[in-house]
Amino acid sequence: MINKIDYCTNRTITDSFQDIEEIVKFIKNPPPEHKELVEYARTIERDSKEYRTIKISKLPAISINFSFSHGYLKGDNISTPTGYLYIDVDGKTEQDLEINTAYICAYWRSLSNTGLTLVVKVDGLTPDNFKTATQEIANVLDIPFDKHAVSIDRLTVLSYDPNAYYNDNVEVFPIVELVSEQSVELSSTGSKNFRNTIIKYNSLIGIYCDGKIGIRYNNLDDVTQGMEIIYDDNGIYDCGQDKVKYHTAFMPKRVSKGNREKTLGLYAKRLLFLNPDLDKKILSKMIFRANMINLQTPLENSEVRDIIDKAFDNRQSPRTNKTKRFFFEDVTLTAVEKSRKCLEVLNQERRQKTQEKKNIISELFCNWNCHTDGKVSPKKVMELTGLKKTMVYNYFKDNKASVPNCDNP
């Protein structure tokens, strides 16, 4: 039940909508006088007195998040949650945003025609958690919401939008799993060796460096603890073929349908391996968030809970899943700058290997005996050296003068 008032300056409840579908039908096809008033308001300045009068004194409004008792819409009279959560977007429309219709059950243009009202389905919304829930859900869906339009008795003016959207078959946000403490204090038995490996910022959890507070996403500091790292003149330490192996907890983007359970399960296991003191409440929040953001088709909430329970109850040591070859003295380098430095080393290594292969062919030719070895051919050189076809043919092409001429010994 979604309560309706005649206009914002009089919060006496005069009617109610059964659900969001009924509201969307009204928005798409309101009474003629309502439609005319909205269309007229869109022709005048938003900061004018006339526009404000229309907005707060002439158009009906609703409160989407909660139902109210005692016939009056105010915070003290909250009765029950409606099962919906309203998110206000100012200055952007559906043409400017990528709207995730797997979660957003409805949206329509605001009175100004320059913003949006977005609605999602929720379970477990309360007056105490709804502000945090609004922020977290907006972050999950990457919605630039209006932070000033968040209050338990917030009103939404009913506008007009013939293209208003509604879809009842969407995922429900589990507020209890999604919302928890904003920071995580690891227990005294947990690892304190959290240095600058903790570099990933996560708005849901709050991650800091230097062993204070945080979720660890890799154990690179642990495995490099005893290494003697000596940087070269370019500020690079190259492990060569002896790459450092370590664990990392990572969720790829846009996980396909066939890999959902496996990918989420591994992510949960790795998070627990790296953070042995991580409690179930925080783990649940992280896995539900990954389910919403990273999966093309999110799993059902019950399936996500099964994955969390299994990871938490049956902890196993996962295989190392990451290697690192290069370390940089300058920790302020960007990813692009690091890539350039790596490429310089790799290109030099490639040139050196190419020269070594050329030297093998050159030495072969120096010791070639036409009487015993026969006529020189690329095929013979490949058989004797084990080098690839491209390498050998390029050498013949670029070094014709050094190829033994067995036709004129």
Side-chain angles (χ1 to χ4, degrees):
M1 189 77 69
I2 298 164
N3 300 139
K4 176 186 173 186
I5 60 175
D6 288 340
Y7 43 84
C8 295
T9 52
N10 183 356
R11 289 180 169 243
T12 301
I13 298 171
T14 57
D15 199 356
S16 293
F17 291 98
Q18 290 297 319
D19 51 29
I20 293 297
E21 182 178 15
E22 194 173 335
I23 293 172
V24 170
K25 288 179 180 178
F26 179 94
I27 295 288
K28 294 179 78 168
N29 188 28
E33 61 275 14
H34 181 100
K35 176 182 174 182
E36 290 172 8
L37 192 56
V38 171
E39 290 181 330
Y40 172 70
R42 289 171 176 172
T43 66
I44 58 181
E45 293 294 330
R46 287 182 61 187
D47 56 357
S48 68
K49 183 177 179 180
E50 186 179 13
Y51 180 89
R52 178 169 175 76
T53 298
I54 293 173
K55 182 175 181 178
I56 68 173
S57 302
K58 294 189 176 182
L59 288 172
I62 55 175
S63 182
I64 293 176
N65 302 327
F66 298 98
S67 295
F68 296 81
S69 59
H70 306 302
Y72 197 80
L73 203 156
K74 65 175 183 176
D76 293 343
N77 292 346
I78 282 183
S79 174
T80 57
T82 62
Y84 299 103
L85 180 68
Y86 150 69
I87 301 174
D88 182 75
V89 179
D90 193 25
K92 291 183 182 293
T93 69
E94 72 279 6
Q95 296 176 347
D96 307 307
L97 301 173
E98 184 177 343
I99 295 177
N100 188 339
T101 52
Y103 287 97
I104 294 174
C105 72
Y107 63 82
W108 58 83
R109 293 285 184 98
S110 63
L111 174 62
S112 67
N113 206 33
T114 60
L116 280 180
T117 292
L118 298 173
V119 182
V120 297
K121 285 186 172 183
V122 293
D123 179 39
L125 190 70
T126 68
D128 293 329
N129 67 27
F130 99 98
K131 280 191 176 182
T132 305
T134 302
Q135 180 176 328
E136 305 297 9
I137 291 171
N139 288 338
V140 165
L141 297 176
D142 195 22
I143 297 169
F145 73 109
D146 184 356
K147 296 180 181 179
H148 301 293
V150 181
S151 60
I152 54 178
D153 56 357
R154 181 74 184 185
L155 296 173
T156 306
V157 173
L158 291 171
S159 67
Y160 163 62
D161 183 355
N163 299 311
Y165 172 87
Y166 175 75
N167 174 26
D168 185 63
N169 186 26
V170 293
E171 294 293 325
V172 178
F173 278 94
I175 301 300
V176 174
E177 283 89 350
L178 186 65
V179 176
S180 64
E181 295 300 321
Q182 290 300 301
S183 62
V184 184
E185 184 73 60
L186 296 178
S187 74
S188 57
T189 59
S191 172
K192 297 298 180 183
N193 191 27
F194 291 173
R195 298 192 294 278
N196 289 329
T197 55
I198 305 173
I199 58 175
K200 181 175 179 181
Y201 176 74
N202 186 313
S203 62
L204 293 186
I205 295 173
I207 292 174
Y208 303 83
C209 294
D210 303 322
K212 295 179 181 176
I213 299 174
I215 298 298
R216 189 165 66 155
Y217 287 88
N218 68 61
N219 66 339
L220 187 59
D221 273 0
D222 287 354
V223 299
T224 59
Q225 194 77 42
M227 284 178 58
E228 184 181 3
I229 297 179
I230 301 174
Y231 299 102
D232 63 17
D233 294 339
N234 295 316
I236 300 174
Y237 176 74
D238 181 6
C239 296
Q241 298 306 309
D242 298 322
K243 296 178 182 179
V244 174
K245 297 179 180 180
Y246 64 102
H247 293 275
T248 181
F250 170 75
M251 267 300 295
K253 293 182 178 180
R254 301 188 64 77
V255 177
S256 61
K257 208 165 187 177
N259 297 316
R260 296 177 299 172
E261 293 87 349
K262 181 180 178 181
T263 305
L264 267 186
L266 279 174
Y267 183 53
K269 288 176 183 177
R270 293 192 185 281
L271 283 171
L272 286 169
F273 175 79
L274 292 166
N275 305 275
D277 296 321
L278 189 63
D279 65 42
K280 200 169 188 177
K281 186 177 182 181
I282 299 300
L283 177 67
S284 297
K285 183 176 181 182
M286 298 177 73
I287 301 306
F288 269 100
R289 186 177 193 272
N291 181 56
M292 295 167 189
I293 292 178
N294 298 82
L295 272 56
Q296 289 183 359
T297 305
L299 293 168
E300 295 288 338
N301 292 340
S302 59
E303 296 176 281
V304 179
R305 291 190 186 95
D306 287 343
I307 289 172
I308 294 165
D309 291 341
K310 190 178 294 184
F312 205 85
D313 297 336
N314 303 303
R315 303 192 186 201
Q316 296 177 347
S317 193
R319 295 180 181 178
T320 54
N321 63 332
K322 194 78 172 175
T323 61
K324 186 175 180 69
R325 174 174 171 176
F326 296 102
F327 292 82
F328 300 91
E329 188 173 18
D330 185 356
V331 296
T332 66
L333 291 175
T334 66
V336 173
E337 291 168 335
K338 288 179 181 178
S339 296
R340 286 173 180 165
K341 285 182 174 289
C342 290
L343 282 173
E344 289 175 10
V345 176
L346 294 173
N347 287 336
Q348 177 61 33
E349 184 179 90
R350 194 175 293 111
R351 287 191 292 269
Q352 184 177 340
K353 288 182 178 179
T354 300
Q355 187 57 52
E356 289 173 356
K357 292 173 183 178
K358 289 181 179 179
N359 292 341
I360 291 172
I361 299 175
S362 178
E363 185 178 353
L364 179 69
F365 285 173
C366 286
N367 298 311
W368 192 272
N369 188 319
C370 291
H371 295 292
T372 57
D373 298 330
K375 188 175 181 179
V376 179
S377 69
K379 186 177 180 180
K380 270 189 180 179
V381 172
M382 284 187 284
E383 290 173 353
L384 292 170
T385 63
L387 296 174
K388 292 183 178 180
K389 181 177 180 180
T390 302
M391 178 70 215
V392 173
Y393 274 87
N394 284 341
Y395 188 92
F396 270 76
K397 178 183 175 182
D398 298 334
N399 301 274
K400 294 178 181 179
S402 66
V403 178
N405 187 356
C406 292
D407 293 329
N408 297 299

